[in-house]
Amino acid sequence: FLTIPKVGATKWKQAFRRMMGYQDWKEIGDKGLPHDPSTNGLKYLYDFPIEEAEKMITSPEWTRAIFVRSPKDRFLSVFYHMSRNRKQVDQRCCPHKPGCSSNLRTMTGFLELMETCYSTHWAPVSERMEEKYWPYINFLGTVENAEEDSEKLLKRIGAWDLVGKDGWGDGKERIFARDSHSFEAVLDSLSMYNPTVDKMLDEYYKVDYENKFFDFPSKKVFAMEQQ
C-alpha cells in the first residue's frame, strides 16, 4: 500500500496497525503514531530482502494499492494544515534559517515555496515512485469515493470484517464513513483561492493530470462541485 499525505494516510495506517493487533491502533500523535516508522510497528518495503520486495512489487499474487485525491483539493488540505503547523514548514524548507513559513500568508507565496522545497505532503503523486512501476498497481481508490473504495479493497484482501466494518468513530462506525466534516479543511481554505492559484496548480500538478493511470475526471476543486 502506497500512502500519500492528506489522502487518508492516517486512517490507513491506523487500519494496518489494527490489522497487526496493536491495541493502541487509534492513537494519533503520541510517540509519532501512526506515522513514525520507528514506533508504529508497520512493515515497509525496505524491511524485506531485495528479491522479496521485487516480487511484492511485480507478482500478480500481491495486491498493490494506492488512494489518490483531486490535486487541487489535496493542495487546499495541505495549505490548511500547514498554515496551522508553520514550524513543520520551517523544519522542512529552511531548517537553518527559519522563517520561510511566512510564505503561507498567501497561496501564491506557498506555491512558490513548493517549487523549491520538496515534500511528500505536496509533491505530485506521480513522483511517488518510478514511472515503470505504475502499471503494477492493481487497485486504485480515491478519497472522493473512499467509503466504497476502502470497502472494496479490504474485502479483496479479506480484512473487511477485521478492520473495516466497525470500530471507528464512536466504535460503531465503519472506516471512512461519510460525514459533514469530510471536506472541512478544503472548504475553509477556499476563501484564499483565486484564478491565479488555480492556474499555478494546473502547472504544478500537470504530471498528475496527465498521468493516464489516475485519469482525473476534472481539474476543478472537487469540494466546490459538491456544494
Side-chain angles (χ1 to χ4, degrees):
F1 191 98
L2 283 78
T3 58
I4 306 292
K6 304 309 170 192
V7 187
T10 297
K11 198 159 286 188
W12 278 116
K13 288 178 182 178
Q14 288 177 311
F16 298 144
R17 296 191 75 246
R18 185 182 185 188
M19 200 181 298
M20 294 179 72
Y22 292 108
Q23 296 302 306
D24 61 350
W25 63 271
K26 276 189 174 182
E27 288 295 324
I28 295 178
D30 186 42
K31 298 179 182 178
L33 296 176
H35 298 290
D36 189 343
S38 68
T39 59
N40 65 17
L42 298 177
K43 291 286 188 180
Y44 292 80
L45 206 59
Y46 53 70
D47 291 319
F48 298 89
I50 294 176
E51 296 79 10
E52 192 174 346
E54 180 130 355
K55 182 181 179 182
M56 292 177 182
I57 295 173
T58 60
S59 171
E61 297 175 4
W62 285 81
T63 294
R64 289 169 293 275
I66 187 172
F67 271 62
V68 296
R69 183 179 193 175
S70 163
K72 290 174 182 176
D73 289 72
R74 180 172 164 236
F75 166 80
L76 287 164
S77 180
V78 168
F79 182 81
Y80 175 90
H81 290 285
M82 291 303 167
S83 294
R84 289 156 179 76
N85 296 278
R86 297 194 173 205
K87 185 177 179 180
Q88 187 174 350
V89 175
D90 282 336
Q91 290 175 337
R92 162 60 64 177
C93 302
C94 51
H96 303 299
K97 193 177 180 181
C100 60
S101 58
S102 61
N103 282 53
L104 282 157
R105 280 193 283 249
T106 65
M107 285 187 177
T108 53
F110 183 48
L111 271 161
E112 288 168 0
L113 181 63
M114 285 165 52
E115 292 283 357
T116 59
C117 176
Y118 177 85
S119 171
T120 55
H121 279 84
W122 53 73
V125 177
S126 297
E127 297 178 3
R128 182 66 174 77
M129 62 181 177
E130 293 180 61
E131 187 176 354
K132 65 181 180 181
Y133 290 119
W134 283 112
Y136 292 107
I137 297 295
N138 50 24
F139 187 95
L140 174 71
T142 68
V143 164
E144 292 79 11
N145 200 44
E147 188 172 41
E148 291 80 5
D149 289 346
S150 60
E151 182 172 348
K152 287 178 185 176
L153 175 59
L154 290 172
K155 283 184 174 178
R156 177 167 165 171
I157 63 174
W160 172 248
D161 289 342
L162 179 65
V163 304
K165 187 170 65 174
D166 52 34
W168 298 86
D170 61 3
K172 298 178 182 179
E173 289 182 12
R174 50 156 296 151
I175 190 172
F176 288 108
R178 282 196 181 94
D179 64 63
S180 58
H181 305 294
S182 297
F183 300 102
E184 216 168 52
V186 174
L187 295 174
D188 186 88
S189 297
L190 281 175
S191 61
M192 298 179 69
Y193 199 75
N194 58 54
T196 300
V197 173
D198 192 74
K199 187 175 180 180
M200 290 175 74
L201 287 171
D202 282 342
E203 185 60 32
Y204 187 81
Y205 289 112
K206 183 178 180 181
V207 65
D208 281 349
Y209 285 122
E210 294 181 349
N211 190 322
K212 294 180 181 178
F213 178 74
F214 301 150
D215 193 27
F216 289 114
S218 169
K219 285 188 177 182
K220 296 179 180 179
V221 176
F222 178 82
M224 289 177 67
E225 295 183 302
Q226 304 309 300
Q227 289 185 300

